Each structure stands twice: as structure tokens, then as C-alpha cells.
Amino acid sequence: MTMDATLSGHLQELRRGTVVVASLTVLREPGYGYSLLETLSAAGFEVEANTLYPLLRRLEAQGLLTSEWNTDEARPRKFYRTTTQGDAIAIALREEWARLDKAITDLDPTRGNRK
């Protein structure tokens, strides 16, 4: 396996979890799927619709998101929003992310932080 293929696989694994955290964070304000895709893309998260929509359904099934249809516009849209539990999970995941980031930084000998 080439270096590029190996890196690509590891980056995909890394991004998979970050999209969950990012989605729960963004959806603290109601939003629909396409808008979420645009927001995530603008922030640097590479995610495709065929990945995001099943993720949204899974998070809703887990009780972390709620959804409702808005039929006021010409084209009905399904809006998502984090639940109270979803907010708590997002906060916990972001705290863990910060802890892991610090731990990895502390392991980096080029930073002079290693004990």
C-alpha cells in the first residue's frame, strides 16, 4: 500500500468522528441538510450528502437530534436541531477532543513539552 493510500485511509477515519461533533455543534441552531453541508464545507469538513444524511438519521435515532418538516416554502425542507442530550454529547465530545489534542501535543518531542 502506498503512503498516499495509507494516509488517505487514516484521514478518512479521523474525519468520520469529527463530522459527528461538527454536526451536533452546528445544529444547536435549526438547520436543514443542504445548509449543514455548506456550513461544514465552508469550515473545512469534507463530507458528501450520501454520508451526511444517513448520519443525521442515525443521530436522530439515537435521540441526539430532532427533526421537523417546514412546508411554508415552495419546497418542503426537513430541519434538524440537537436535543438536550445532543447538546450534552456535543459538549462532552468537544471537551474530549481538546483533551486528546493537548495529549498529542504533549507527546510531540519537537514541541519541547515531553516529560
Side-chain angles (χ1 to χ4, degrees):
M1 184 174 269
T2 68
M3 174 79 160
D4 288 344
T6 301
L7 177 59
S8 178
H10 286 296
L11 287 174
Q12 184 177 9
E13 287 180 41
L14 184 61
R15 288 183 186 126
R16 197 171 286 138
T18 61
V19 171
V20 170
V21 178
S23 296
L24 290 173
T25 299
V26 171
L27 292 174
R28 294 179 81 190
E29 297 293 325
Y32 58 97
Y34 186 75
S35 173
L36 178 59
L37 273 172
E38 289 180 327
T39 300
L40 293 175
S41 177
F45 290 89
E46 298 174 25
V47 61
E48 296 181 16
N50 61 354
T51 299
L52 183 65
Y53 288 105
L55 171 69
L56 294 174
R57 288 191 294 275
R58 186 181 54 148
L59 294 174
E60 187 173 17
Q62 293 172 348
L64 305 180
L65 293 178
T66 186
S67 68
E68 61 183 61
W69 285 96
N70 179 345
T71 57
D72 295 340
E73 300 176 20
R75 185 171 178 231
R77 294 180 177 169
K78 190 173 188 178
F79 280 79
Y80 297 89
R81 182 183 180 115
T82 55
T83 61
T84 303
Q85 183 183 4
D87 285 339
I89 294 288
I91 290 166
L93 290 173
R94 289 188 4 234
E95 287 173 352
E96 180 64 6
W97 178 274
R99 187 192 70 73
L100 289 170
D101 181 56
K102 181 186 180 319
I104 289 172
T105 299
D106 288 350
L107 289 174
D108 184 352
T110 65
R111 298 260 187 163
N113 296 332
R114 196 162 188 182
K115 296 176 176 146

